[in-house]
Amino acid sequence: MNKTIQLQDLGNKDYKETWEYQEELFKGIVDLKIQNRREETTIETPNYFLFVEHPHVYTLGKSGDLTNLLLSEKQLEAKGATFYKINRGGDITYHGPGQIVGYPIIDLENFFSDIHKYLRFLEEAIILTLQEYGLACGRSEGETGVWLGVGTPFARKICAMGVRASRWVTMHGFALNINADLGYFDNIIPCGIRGKAVTSLNVELGVDRVDEQEVKEKILKHFSDLFECSIVR
């Protein structure tokens, strides 16, 4: 089992280009697994972790409801945003500047064959990271992601998650609001959940800007601890 994960920070990159790149890496792992089974070989499958920041974009998961997008095509253009229907789970979400997006493209059979555990570990890496900033955060029953103020009238989501898995290979991942323009969330019903707010780390800390690279390093530390893996750059 290969417990090494290759880190790639793509910087600011178009959503569609990044999606195609994810698909390329994903297909490479799946094809190798098929080859191993067909030829009875044991070639190690690679694992990847992509960090990226996208220009303004809304994405709708395969089971999502298009009515949760509250903008017309012209309004999207006016806001400088794009829209894609994609092949992850979950409903609609927003990506944009000031948000850390993480895409682990890993062969879970290198770690454990349990997609539920995988999602909980992703959430836990974010929870542990935010706790380092003094935030009391956690899970909301039946709602994937990381929340603050769970069980109160002030519940607010700070990290959205949506993944795809096939043959135990994952793609897509999480989007953590660090210095995000929360106004863009007003144009959707985030994750299809009505009546709950969205927040960002800088807002919760009452500061203009949080060091995004520092947050990335904390995420990687907790991710590597949870998955008992080594991350190479």
Side-chain angles (χ1 to χ4, degrees):
M1 294 190 294
N2 178 20
K3 288 184 173 287
T4 298
I5 298 179
Q6 300 172 41
L7 174 68
Q8 297 180 24
D9 194 326
L10 305 181
N12 191 295
K13 193 172 180 67
D14 175 76
Y15 185 85
K16 190 169 187 295
E17 287 181 31
T18 309
W19 184 14
E20 289 170 349
Y21 183 51
Q22 279 195 80
E23 292 279 11
E24 179 186 318
L25 297 177
F26 177 88
K27 184 177 184 299
I29 300 173
V30 169
D31 286 351
L32 182 52
K33 294 186 77 167
I34 292 170
Q35 177 188 324
N36 277 338
R37 184 164 297 181
R38 184 179 62 241
E39 299 178 6
E40 298 183 353
T41 51
T42 55
I43 303 169
E44 283 190 342
T45 50
N47 306 290
Y48 305 93
F49 190 118
L50 310 182
F51 271 134
V52 67
E53 181 181 81
H54 294 303
H56 303 297
V57 61
Y58 296 99
T59 68
L60 184 71
K62 57 188 178 183
S63 57
D65 184 345
L66 187 55
T67 62
N68 289 326
L69 174 65
L70 308 178
L71 296 175
S72 67
E73 195 170 322
K74 280 190 175 180
Q75 289 171 318
L76 276 170
E77 284 181 20
K79 290 190 173 293
T82 52
F83 170 76
Y84 295 101
K85 291 182 181 178
I86 62 173
N87 58 353
R88 60 160 170 78
D91 205 282
I92 196 164
T93 195
Y94 159 78
H95 298 310
Q99 188 183 70
I100 292 176
V101 179
Y103 296 133
I105 306 169
I106 62 177
D107 181 0
L108 284 179
E109 288 189 308
N110 285 325
F111 304 93
F112 47 77
S113 302
D114 186 333
I115 192 66
H116 178 80
K117 181 177 179 180
Y118 172 67
L119 283 166
R120 300 295 79 79
F121 272 19
L122 278 189
E123 290 168 343
E124 190 67 15
I126 302 302
I127 289 168
L128 292 170
T129 296
L130 295 176
Q131 284 177 348
E132 289 199 55
Y133 290 91
L135 295 189
C137 56
R139 300 173 179 85
S140 180
E141 189 174 349
E143 298 170 334
T144 301
V146 179
W147 297 75
L148 284 78
V150 176
T152 76
F154 308 105
R156 54 212 183 276
K157 194 171 199 174
I158 194 167
C159 182
M161 293 187 180
V163 304
R164 178 192 174 201
S166 176
R167 294 181 184 266
W168 297 113
V169 181
T170 67
M171 64 180 291
H172 300 297
F174 65 85
L176 176 61
N177 299 327
I178 304 299
N179 301 299
D181 181 346
L182 298 178
Y184 277 83
F185 287 96
D186 295 339
N187 305 314
I188 59 174
I189 300 170
C191 303
I193 303 169
R194 293 181 181 273
K196 289 188 179 177
V198 176
T199 191
S200 184
L201 182 56
N202 66 321
V203 172
E204 295 297 325
L205 296 180
V207 299
D208 289 336
R209 187 160 193 84
V210 176
D211 184 337
E212 292 173 25
Q213 188 59 42
E214 179 184 85
V215 178
K216 288 177 183 178
E217 293 301 327
K218 292 180 187 300
I219 292 171
L220 291 174
K221 176 186 180 299
H222 295 302
F223 186 94
S224 61
D225 287 348
L226 289 162
F227 284 83
E228 298 179 343
C229 67
S230 59
I231 294 176
V232 297
R233 301 167 190 252

